[in-house]
Amino acid sequence: MVTTASTISSANYGVHIELITEVISWRKKRTSWGLMQSAYACSCAEDDYKPKEKILSLEIFSNNDYDVTHPKNTDLSLYFNVKQNSGTVSIAKYLESIKEFNYLARYAFDEGVFLQVPPNINKKHKFKFKMTLSDGRILEAETTEVELI
């Protein structure tokens, strides 16, 4: 469920990350089938665009103290899981799986990143997501402030 409410149950809190990418492609030479008439040519798989850079890490920070061991601006990524198929996995495991399967970067984190551990100091948080790419670039985005109950 998508909401714009400023108060959300911490058990249901998640963030959808949408990567807007530039697709650069080239034209492949057309394959000609010598034994088939063109009217009966088979349908080839569509071109897949492979990412030039890999996603190395995703770190998540809060603007407020989260718990005793996580004051503001410390990495909270262990407190979040990524939805993958019918379950969720840790961010580290998810990043490893997309490397193994050469997953298309523009669809990474498409199913959402969900909070697993509720805060116990402050209830209001603005989360900053910091993604590091293999070429050294760092992409950052910030959520609006929410109260997690």
Side-chain angles (χ1 to χ4, degrees), residues 73-84:
N73 297 321
T74 57
D75 187 14
L76 297 169
S77 60
L78 293 175
Y79 286 180
F80 285 81
N81 276 358
V82 181
K83 184 168 183 330
Q84 188 175 41

Side-chain angles (χ1 to χ4, degrees), residues 4-45:
T4 57
S6 61
T7 303
I8 300 170
S9 165
S10 58
N12 298 325
Y13 182 72
V15 176
H16 173 80
I17 298 174
E18 183 178 356
L19 298 173
I20 300 172
T21 59
E22 179 180 359
V23 178
I24 300 172
S25 63
W26 63 92
R27 187 174 178 99
K28 288 185 187 179
K29 284 189 170 185
R30 187 174 184 100
T31 305
S32 58
W33 300 90
L35 301 175
M36 295 182 191
Q37 294 179 357
S38 61
Y40 298 108
C42 61
S43 174
C44 298

Side-chain angles (χ1 to χ4, degrees), residues 2-16 60-66 76 80 113 115 117-119 121-129 142-149:
V2 177
T3 183
T4 57
S6 61
T7 303
I8 300 170
S9 165
S10 58
N12 298 325
Y13 182 72
V15 176
H16 173 80
I60 304 169
F61 305 93
S62 174
N63 65 329
N64 288 320
D65 295 343
Y66 198 82
L76 297 169
F80 285 81
V113 179
L115 182 63
V117 179
I121 293 181
N122 290 308
K123 297 296 180 190
K124 290 189 176 188
H125 294 276
K126 188 185 287 189
F127 294 102
K128 182 181 359 176
F129 288 74
E142 199 170 74
T143 66
T144 57
E145 187 172 72
V146 293
E147 182 177 1
L148 298 170
I149 55 172

Side-chain angles (χ1 to χ4, degrees), residues 54-121:
K54 305 271 189 241
I55 300 170
L56 299 180
S57 67
L58 178 67
E59 298 170 292
I60 304 169
F61 305 93
S62 174
N63 65 329
N64 288 320
D65 295 343
Y66 198 82
D67 59 23
V68 177
T69 58
H70 293 89
K72 70 179 184 176
N73 297 321
T74 57
D75 187 14
L76 297 169
S77 60
L78 293 175
Y79 286 180
F80 285 81
N81 276 358
V82 181
K83 184 168 183 330
Q84 188 175 41
N85 302 321
S86 61
T88 63
V89 296
S90 70
I91 291 172
K93 188 170 182 135
Y94 182 78
L95 289 172
E96 195 58 41
S97 73
I98 64 175
K99 284 180 197 170
E100 280 180 32
F101 296 110
N102 201 16
Y103 194 68
L104 302 180
R106 67 180 177 206
Y107 300 117
F109 302 103
D110 193 45
E111 296 186 73
V113 179
F114 293 90
L115 182 63
Q116 303 297 303
V117 179
N120 62 16
I121 293 181

